[in-house]
Amino acid sequence: MTKADLVNNLGTIARSGTKAFMEAIESGGDMSMIGQFGVGFYSAYLVADRVVVASKHNDDEAHVWESSAGGTFTVAPLDDAEFPRGTRMILHLKEDQLEYLEERRVKDLIKKHSEFIGYDIELMIEKTTEKEVTDDDEEETKEGEEPKVEEVKEGAEKKTKKVKEVTKEYEVQNKNKPLWTRDPKDVTKEEYAAFYKAISNDWEDHLAVKHFSVEGQLEFRSVLYAPKRAPFDQFEPTKKRNNIKLYVRRVFIMDNCEDLCPDWLSFLKGVVDSEDLPLNISRENLQQNKILKVIKKNIVKKALDMFEEIAENKEDYEKFYEQFGKNLKLGIHEDSANRKKLCELLRYHSTKATEEPTALKDYVTRMGENQKSIYYITGDSKKKLENSPFLEEAKRRDVEVLFMVDPIDEYVMQQVKDFEDFKFVCLTKEGVKFDESEDEKKQREEDKAAYDKLCKQMKEILTEKVEKVVLTERLSTSPCILITSEFGWSAHMEQIMRNQALRDSSMSSYMVSKKTMEINPHHPIVKELRKRVDADQSDKTVKDLVYLLFDTALLTSGFNLEDPTTYAERIHRMIKLGLELGAEDDAESEPVPVAAAPATGTSSMEMVD
């Protein structure tokens, strides 16, 4: 810079590039000033109490500008005839900012903010090397001392020792070049892998990558990576929600911009480099920036494209789904715009896909001609669900049922009502209807009339425990089952909510469904109960058996027992009946009363003696 440039650009903040830059923004000027000397210059005084700038222009002599930020400055000729063309800044650091003299601190700053700047940033660093020297080279005769004469034996080896040598040299800090600015066709797999490890600090290679650019009204470039494994703290509330770094013209802005990516995609790593965002944008302005919303929309779209590409390879998608399946389901719960696409990425085991999970599209292709719904069941584990009584009629009719064993599946099903115009139906809730022939419909009507008295009697016995007792459409071998209403919580959801540490107990009062008991008219136990009720409504054994059936149905339907002790007593009574034990045997099993303590002075052991 010339002397005039030093005065105009660095003179005072009122005349500095920073002030001119802010005025240009307010008047709608372009952003081309960014990167010019003087913009942001006064930030140097955050760490320094005195700044010295020496500069030489080809058309002028070298001058030095100096100021302590007190409103005054000096410009004087530089007494250095050999000073080359260019500018040198010297910051005299404040006492509490001496950390910026540390090599590690400066390296961290360069890596974070200027790693991908187009110009090389060199830092003078100290390097310590060890080198071997012989004693002859190391030892020098001291002044005033006569050299000792020693006989040298032939063949004797010279002694060597290692000495440390400290050298200073410049080293380029921003060696990683901005890979996203290149054409994806020209980038190799190895380069993508190296870049992924550089930005993510991951020791493993990535699973998939999406390199794209968006042009038009908005311009930005991006590289997105899907890792091979999920972080252990993925859903921790205190965890950083975003791993995509935001750059503006290759200058780092921030790495925790929550508006850049939705929560359910927080596992993605990568960079976004925008040409349209201003470099000095604040966090508050960033949140309100419309450009950011467009970038977010495009990131989600491209991420979904990447997942579909992963899904083409069965083995890779299996790994991906195992690690990030919960994220996809969280996306269905939160992102209504992309719900349909996300549903296509879901995978579930089923009654016909026991070894490998199936996609919903594949399920639809296997559906029977008359099947109008997609059936599913929720629970703790696949093994439990495979033996669930809810599946009996579906299995008999060869209807495929999906197994949903993830707690988040309950929330997913609250948002997703259908897939390709086929409604989702939960087998543990009301509203399950299979296609029936005319003979089956006729038989059902006859059974309904025949068992009407038993249903009313069971409802009277169970009172408030159940809302109603009806004949089943889903059982073929079990005597009875408990179901919930179509729009309330299922048994599994009840269990999930009950296990919440910070749950709101007021919600359970209106979300817990009233139970409906379904009985199987073709089961021998139910047939015998009907005979007894028809013969004598006041039969005490009927009441006991109904309670026992209800408690057993609670367990098989996935609910918790309200009174385990009473249930255990009923089971014990049944065992006694089976073993033909009477009241006398009960008397024999009663505990023997404890004998009175012996008189003082006589121990128990003495009495035994």
Side-chain angles (χ1 to χ4, degrees), residues 121-238:
I121 299 171
E122 294 183 346
L123 178 67
M124 183 177 278
I125 60 168
E126 283 189 358
K127 282 191 174 179
T128 305
T129 53
E130 285 189 347
K131 96 180 200 185
E132 288 189 355
V133 294
T134 61
D135 287 348
D136 293 346
D137 295 335
E138 180 67 22
E139 292 178 7
E140 293 179 359
T141 55
K142 296 178 182 177
E143 288 182 44
E145 286 185 10
E146 292 183 5
K148 293 179 183 177
V149 180
E150 291 182 0
E151 290 183 14
V152 179
K153 295 178 183 178
E154 289 183 13
E157 291 184 6
K158 291 182 179 180
K159 290 183 179 179
T160 60
K161 63 178 182 180
K162 291 181 179 179
V163 293
K164 288 184 178 178
E165 189 176 26
V166 178
T167 56
K168 289 186 178 181
E169 59 183 66
Y170 279 102
E171 188 178 85
V172 177
Q173 297 299 305
N174 55 335
K175 290 177 182 175
N176 289 319
K177 298 304 172 192
L179 178 137
W180 63 84
T181 58
R182 293 162 57 187
D183 191 324
K185 294 174 187 173
D186 301 333
V187 186
T188 63
K189 283 184 179 179
E190 291 73 24
E191 285 175 314
Y192 277 129
F195 184 71
Y196 168 70
K197 287 176 180 176
I199 62 168
S200 67
N201 297 321
D202 197 351
W203 53 274
E204 265 189 318
D205 283 346
H206 57 280
L207 182 66
V209 62
K210 191 73 176 174
H211 184 178
F212 63 96
S213 61
V214 174
E215 294 174 354
Q217 290 182 335
L218 173 76
E219 285 188 21
F220 75 91
R221 291 174 173 270
S222 178
V223 179
L224 299 178
Y225 289 97
K228 277 189 177 175
R229 64 181 71 239
F232 67 92
D233 59 347
Q234 183 165 225
F235 295 108
E236 289 291 324
T238 53

Side-chain angles (χ1 to χ4, degrees), residues 496-506 508:
I496 292 166
M497 296 306 292
R498 195 181 289 111
N499 293 336
Q500 299 287 333
L502 303 173
R503 70 190 174 101
D504 178 12
S505 54
S506 64
S508 59

Side-chain angles (χ1 to χ4, degrees), residues 415-455:
Q415 303 296 331
V416 180
K417 300 302 176 190
D418 55 58
F419 179 79
E420 293 187 1
D421 297 328
F422 292 103
K423 188 183 172 187
F424 280 100
V425 173
C426 181
L427 284 181
T428 65
K429 293 185 177 182
E430 283 180 337
V432 174
K433 290 191 183 296
F434 296 105
D435 285 326
E436 293 180 323
S437 64
E438 288 301 318
D439 292 340
E440 285 176 326
K441 286 179 183 176
K442 189 179 177 185
Q443 181 64 44
R444 180 166 299 285
E445 290 302 319
E446 288 175 6
D447 289 340
K448 196 173 179 182
Y451 283 85
D452 185 53
K453 192 176 180 181
L454 175 63
C455 291

Side-chain angles (χ1 to χ4, degrees), residues 381-546:
S381 67
K382 179 172 156 253
K383 192 176 179 182
K384 267 188 188 179
L385 295 180
E386 282 174 340
N387 301 316
S388 172
F390 289 105
L391 301 180
E392 290 172 2
E393 188 64 15
K395 282 180 180 176
R396 191 180 74 81
R397 293 175 180 271
D398 196 33
V399 172
E400 188 174 3
V401 181
L402 298 172
F403 297 146
M404 298 190 179
V405 295
D406 213 337
I408 199 171
D409 287 324
E410 290 280 0
Y411 297 92
V412 168
M413 285 299 113
Q414 287 173 14
Q415 303 296 331
V416 180
K417 300 302 176 190
D418 55 58
F419 179 79
E420 293 187 1
D421 297 328
F422 292 103
K423 188 183 172 187
F424 280 100
V425 173
C426 181
L427 284 181
T428 65
K429 293 185 177 182
E430 283 180 337
V432 174
K433 290 191 183 296
F434 296 105
D435 285 326
E436 293 180 323
S437 64
E438 288 301 318
D439 292 340
E440 285 176 326
K441 286 179 183 176
K442 189 179 177 185
Q443 181 64 44
R444 180 166 299 285
E445 290 302 319
E446 288 175 6
D447 289 340
K448 196 173 179 182
Y451 283 85
D452 185 53
K453 192 176 180 181
L454 175 63
C455 291
K456 286 178 181 176
Q457 181 67 14
M458 289 177 78
K459 166 63 182 157
E460 281 179 25
I461 292 168
L462 296 170
T463 59
E464 296 298 315
K465 292 180 187 290
V466 293
E467 189 180 15
K468 55 187 173 181
V469 179
V470 295
L471 296 189
T472 187
E473 287 189 34
R474 67 194 89 203
L475 296 177
S476 60
T477 56
S478 297
C480 60
I481 207 77
L482 288 171
I483 61 166
T484 55
S485 67
E486 192 176 348
F487 303 104
W489 285 345
S490 66
H492 188 226
M493 186 65 178
E494 247 182 70
Q495 196 178 335
I496 292 166
M497 296 306 292
R498 195 181 289 111
N499 293 336
Q500 299 287 333
L502 303 173
R503 70 190 174 101
D504 178 12
S505 54
S506 64
M507 189 187 286
S508 59
S509 61
Y510 57 86
M511 285 304 293
V512 171
S513 297
K514 287 192 174 180
K515 302 171 187 72
T516 298
M517 191 172 194
E518 288 192 355
I519 57 173
N520 181 5
H522 308 297
H523 197 279
I525 292 175
V526 179
K527 285 179 179 177
E528 184 59 33
L529 272 176
R530 190 192 111 192
K531 285 179 188 174
R532 295 201 177 198
V533 169
D534 288 345
D536 181 10
Q537 276 190 311
S538 58
D539 192 340
K540 289 181 180 179
T541 55
V542 170
K543 187 177 180 181
D544 214 18
L545 286 168
V546 167

